[in-house]
Amino acid sequence: MRGLILKAEKKYDLAITQFQDALTIRQTIGDKKGIGTTLANIGECYEGLGNLKQALTIHFQSLQIKDSISHQSGLAWTYFDLANTYAKLRDPKNAINYLKPKKSLGR
């Protein structure tokens, strides 16, 4: 919860520290849905810091976890995060690709 508050306050470095702590706990207990969500939050923090390449790396990790557990709504949010990051990188082709509806979502 603390990480979410810090992220909302744009204190991204502090938020990342909180999310990293949460990620360690979620990995220890095998909470894959929580791992995917926490990674997404970390990616959003890196995006807020302007570290867009790191944000992409983290978002792709989140995508992989969410896909492995068929977390449909989580996948939708991660596709949006990827599109947003690519748009900030001035890569419209990839941004549009991740905004296209995925056939597996919404079933």
Side-chain angles (χ1 to χ4, degrees):
M1 181 64 76
R2 195 175 300 167
L4 293 172
I5 294 168
L6 291 166
K7 184 175 82 167
E9 293 175 342
K10 301 182 191 276
K11 297 177 181 176
Y12 299 119
D13 288 322
L14 295 172
I16 289 169
T17 299
Q18 292 295 315
F19 287 130
Q20 290 287 5
D21 291 345
L23 183 62
T24 299
I25 293 167
R26 291 175 190 270
Q27 289 170 329
T28 299
I29 63 174
D31 176 12
K32 287 191 175 187
K33 186 175 179 183
I35 293 167
T37 300
T38 303
L39 285 168
N41 281 308
I42 293 169
E44 289 170 9
C45 288
Y46 279 114
E47 188 175 329
L49 289 170
N51 190 340
L52 301 177
K53 297 286 186 181
Q54 184 66 21
L56 280 179
T57 298
I58 300 294
H59 286 316
F60 278 115
Q61 290 174 12
S62 175
L63 182 71
Q64 183 179 19
I65 296 288
K66 291 173 181 177
D67 189 44
S68 77
I69 60 170
S70 300
H71 180 21
Q72 299 302 306
S73 62
L75 282 166
W77 280 108
T78 302
Y79 288 131
F80 176 80
D81 287 337
L82 285 164
N84 191 44
T85 305
Y86 276 118
K88 288 181 179 180
L89 284 166
R90 301 175 198 260
D91 184 345
K93 182 178 176 185
N94 275 315
I96 291 168
N97 181 52
Y98 284 102
L99 286 176
K100 288 180 183 175
K102 304 299 180 192
K103 290 182 181 181
S104 64
L105 296 178
R107 282 197 225 176

